[in-house]
Amino acid sequence: MSVQLPPQFVQRMQDLLGDEFQSFMDSYEQSPRAGLRVNTLKISNEQFKEKSPFELRSIPWCPTGYYVDAAARPGKHPYYYAGLYYIQEPSAMSPVEALDVQPGDRVLDLCAAPGGKSTQIAAALQGQGLLVTNDLSAERTRALAKNMELYGVRNAVILNESPDTIATRFGGFFDKILVDAPCSGEGMFRKDDDAARQWLNHSVERCSIMQRDILQTVATMLAPGGRIVYSTCTFAPEENERSIAVFLDRHPDFSVTLPAHAEHFRPGRSEWAHQVEQEIQQGDTVLSAIAAEGYTPLSEKSIAQTERTVRLWPHLLEGEGHYIAVLDHQAVRDPEYVPAEPPLIATSYKERPQRHMASRPDQRTDKKAERRADRIERRNLTESRGQSSKSSRTTSSSRTPVPEEIEPLQLWKEFSGQELNGEWNTQNMITFGQNLYRAPIDENRLQGLKVIRPGWYLGSCKNGRFTPGHALAAALMPAEARRRLNLSADSPEAISYLKGETLSVPAERIECDERVSPRGYVLVCIDGCSAGWGKWQQGDTLKNEYPAGWRWI
């Protein structure tokens, strides 16, 4: 393949790389590597390797990551639709490994869409702790929400907010923070032709200023002794080593730690940060905005620490260009440490009606339809609260629940008692219009924020009936459902189900718990892993409940 690279970029890389430049350029004649990462929320790494329909080759820096042949089309297999793996560029798996997420951690993924790194974090949490995943783009949060639901994540909150606004509600809160920063995208030129075409629009200068401000903000959200991982997919030292050196000068209580699997990567280039400093001091016009903001020379100590950051080069490994810096806070946390509670404010997130966007999260939205849906949802939300839109403008903590708001919890009790196994109490439940969620966090934290999902979406309540959501099915283990139907990934039935077609299924094929009839909601599984709902009816008919916007095309 051949990529049209911006001439300015080529000249800069030649100046930086010297003898390595030709090897670097030769890498653009090679095809990008395809990879997938096993979703251990649904299947173990060993189990997947046993049943994988693809030839797998391990990615050295990610224990659950594998190279696959792109011609195998892993996005066109029933396992993909069942959420057994995430298709991900191999280098992009490295930042989360560097974050070292442990079950029970409170984690923020600040720039998360479309959700690859968030699903990787969620798998590491194993359903314990909390993941707050955010993206500033409302359009991109649609894909983020879909992926979190498809991969069976139960303990995540999805936001569409600026870092500054999130910081007002989560000061000193998170154990781990991932900043996969907006950048000029140079490392993706081989993979994405549009990234090369748009390079001048995403200037190195503008991105470096944005990154500096983001890092300044996220430091206020980190708990004592926590960790920030900063990553980019660019080669520019202004956005990499220099951004980290600026942060370290402003935050002497942080230090750089060599990331996991660093032996597979090259170290950061502190001499390039020095070179950038010289260019600024000489009045280089490309960096004029940095110099104009009250420039202060960087310390030698901070620049030297960038040698413990790492770079992933496309001519030295099987992946695209990446940069990773692990920033550890040096305080020792008191075992009794509890993040401060945010103040109560006058605006609740519930006063900003959000549509449940799982139906077509990956498609562009027709603006007229979007506005019409907004009006309908506001009316439904007002009616469900049994009060006028004017009187609903109170905080969620001060408003007295009305019967319509209590009813969804009762409907959930009835549904879970009849259709599910295990303990399904109503603790941490949030009603959001007609939708019901299980929240992994105190609702007070979300006040004033643009919330796309306040937790695990369970379903909707309407006309005295609870309708389970696809996100509920996707996150269930088969044993948690009282009725199950297992389809083989190799069978035409699995494809038919994923296309939304009605299936003819004899009653004896529905695996039921004792004293449960086949009639009712059935958890449809593909090779033992949950894929979605069906509803078995008399006449051997399985009504398909797989969402229209998610279907096999």
Side-chain angles (χ1 to χ4, degrees):
M1 62 175 298
S2 182
V3 181
Q4 290 295 113
L5 298 173
Q8 302 97 315
F9 167 76
V10 173
Q11 183 59 57
R12 192 190 71 204
M13 296 310 297
Q14 185 172 13
D15 294 341
L16 290 173
L17 289 174
D19 293 342
E20 280 190 72
F21 174 70
Q22 192 55 54
S23 295
F24 173 76
M25 291 300 293
D26 290 345
S27 71
Y28 286 92
E29 301 301 320
Q30 302 170 11
S31 297
R33 300 294 190 269
L36 62 79
R37 181 177 40 75
V38 178
N39 177 18
T40 54
L41 290 175
K42 289 204 166 192
I43 188 172
S44 74
N45 204 18
E46 292 303 317
Q47 287 173 329
F48 182 78
K49 286 194 290 185
E50 289 175 4
K51 65 173 58 179
S52 172
F54 318 114
E55 184 177 342
L56 302 176
R57 187 163 54 86
S58 295
I59 295 173
W61 50 87
C62 181
T64 56
Y66 298 92
Y67 294 104
V68 293
D69 185 352
R73 302 179 72 196
K76 281 292 185 182
H77 192 279
Y79 288 168
Y80 172 77
Y81 287 82
L84 268 61
Y85 54 80
Y86 189 94
I87 300 172
Q88 192 171 22
E89 193 280 310
S91 292
M93 302 178 191
S94 55
V96 173
E97 295 300 320
L99 196 59
D100 190 29
V101 175
Q102 300 297 318
D105 281 345
R106 297 188 297 266
V107 186
L108 170 64
D109 186 357
L110 187 66
C111 313
K117 295 179 179 67
S118 282
T119 59
Q120 191 174 357
I121 291 169
L125 287 173
Q126 285 296 301
Q128 303 174 50
L130 167 71
L131 170 59
V132 175
T133 179
N134 173 77
D135 202 89
L136 189 57
S137 167
E139 186 69 26
R140 284 167 58 82
T141 57
R142 297 172 183 271
L144 175 59
K146 175 183 177 180
N147 282 323
M148 297 303 284
E149 295 182 354
L150 174 63
Y151 291 92
V153 180
R154 301 189 185 197
N155 57 330
V157 171
I158 304 174
L159 303 180
N160 169 217
E161 270 297 357
S162 68
D164 289 344
T165 305
I166 298 173
T168 64
R169 309 303 296 167
F170 289 94
F173 183 84
F174 295 103
D175 303 302
K176 310 279 174 64
I177 299 177
L178 177 63
V179 181
D180 190 35
C183 68
S184 54
E186 297 168 356
M188 293 294 109
F189 286 176
R190 182 172 65 171
K191 182 173 178 286
D192 183 0
D193 289 342
D194 193 54
R197 288 191 293 268
Q198 296 294 322
W199 180 67
L200 288 176
N201 296 331
H202 302 288
S203 73
V204 169
E205 173 190 38
R206 184 172 61 185
C207 289
S208 63
I209 294 172
M210 186 188 314
Q211 293 152 1
R212 177 200 63 194
D213 294 342
I214 289 174
L215 280 170
Q216 182 77 10
T217 300
V218 299
T220 68
M221 292 188 267
L222 193 70
R227 168 172 287 191
I228 297 170
V229 166
Y230 172 87
S231 67
T232 71
C233 55
T234 194
F235 302 115
E238 296 90 341
E239 302 179 61
N240 295 333
E241 286 87 354
R242 188 180 189 279
S243 285
I244 296 306
V246 169
F247 176 82
L248 293 171
D249 266 357
R250 296 184 177 190
H251 299 84
D253 50 344
F254 281 82
S255 64
V256 179
T257 301
L258 203 63
H261 310 292
E263 66 273 15
H264 301 293
F265 314 135
R266 283 288 186 89
R269 303 292 292 265
S270 61
E271 70 273 21
W272 290 354
H274 272 295
Q275 183 176 330
V276 171
E277 286 299 284
Q278 292 173 2
E279 292 173 354
I280 294 175
Q281 292 168 11
Q282 293 167 4
D284 189 301
T285 55
V286 174
L287 300 171
S288 58
I290 294 175
E293 288 196 345
Y295 165 74
T296 301
L298 296 178
S299 70
E300 290 293 331
K301 179 181 177 182
S302 293
I303 291 178
Q305 285 199 63
T306 64
E307 294 178 4
R308 294 200 292 273
T309 64
V310 294
R311 283 177 170 268
L312 285 66
W313 292 100
H315 63 292
L316 298 176
L317 50 71
E318 294 181 85
E320 304 309 306
H322 250 69
Y323 175 82
I324 302 171
V326 177
L327 303 166
D328 282 335
H329 191 254
Q330 295 306 296
V332 176
R333 188 184 310 178
D334 186 326
E336 304 299 320
Y337 174 81
V338 177
E341 288 293 326
L344 292 175
I345 59 176
T347 303
S348 167
Y349 74 92
K350 288 187 176 182
E351 293 171 3
R352 307 181 185 189
Q354 303 280 338
R355 283 179 309 290
H356 191 75
M357 298 186 295
S359 58
R360 296 294 288 184
D362 55 344
Q363 301 293 323
R364 291 190 176 273
T365 305
D366 179 81
K367 296 301 180 184
K368 286 186 178 179
E370 189 176 80
R371 289 194 294 269
R372 182 166 61 251
D374 277 332
R375 290 195 298 271
I376 293 171
E377 181 123 9
R378 286 194 192 96
R379 184 175 68 242
N380 289 342
L381 184 59
T382 300
E383 291 172 353
S384 74
R385 289 178 175 175
Q387 51 190 333
S388 69
S389 59
K390 181 177 181 180
S391 66
S392 70
R393 294 173 185 166
T394 60
T395 66
S396 59
S397 60
S398 63
R399 189 163 41 79
T400 302
V402 295
E404 288 83 351
E405 292 179 308
I406 298 172
E407 183 184 22
L409 301 183
Q410 183 59 41
L411 293 175
W412 165 252
K413 285 182 180 179
E414 294 172 1
F415 173 85
S416 59
Q418 295 169 2
E419 309 290 345
L420 304 178
N421 290 317
E423 295 293 326
W424 298 92
N425 57 44
T426 58
Q427 291 180 345
N428 304 319
M429 295 294 192
I430 293 179
T431 57
F432 195 97
Q434 297 173 343
N435 298 316
L436 185 65
Y437 298 82
R438 170 164 282 179
I441 190 173
D442 189 331
E443 192 176 357
N444 176 51
R445 287 273 178 193
L446 304 179
Q447 286 186 317
L449 301 177
K450 296 177 187 174
V451 178
I452 304 303
R453 298 285 190 280
W456 181 20
Y457 177 60
L458 302 177
S460 62
C461 304
K462 190 173 182 180
N463 299 327
R465 180 178 301 174
F466 181 84
T467 302
H470 184 72
L472 173 60
L476 288 176
M477 300 304 289
E480 292 179 302
R482 294 200 169 181
R483 300 178 194 85
R484 300 161 296 278
L485 172 65
N486 193 45
L487 305 178
S488 169
D490 297 328
S491 71
E493 270 188 324
I495 306 299
S496 295
Y497 172 74
L498 294 171
K499 288 182 175 181
E501 298 171 2
T502 299
L503 301 183
S504 177
V505 179
E508 56 268 22
R509 286 188 57 195
I510 306 297
E511 182 183 346
C512 302
D513 288 355
E514 189 177 355
R515 294 189 296 276
V516 174
S517 75
R519 187 169 186 173
Y521 281 101
V522 176
L523 184 65
V524 179
C525 303
I526 295 178
D527 285 349
C529 299
S530 59
W533 292 116
K535 201 169 185 181
W536 194 86
Q537 301 171 336
Q538 295 291 349
D540 296 347
T541 298
L542 185 79
K543 181 182 176 184
N544 200 313
E545 300 288 330
Y546 197 77
W550 296 35
R551 291 175 185 168
W552 185 296
I553 299 175

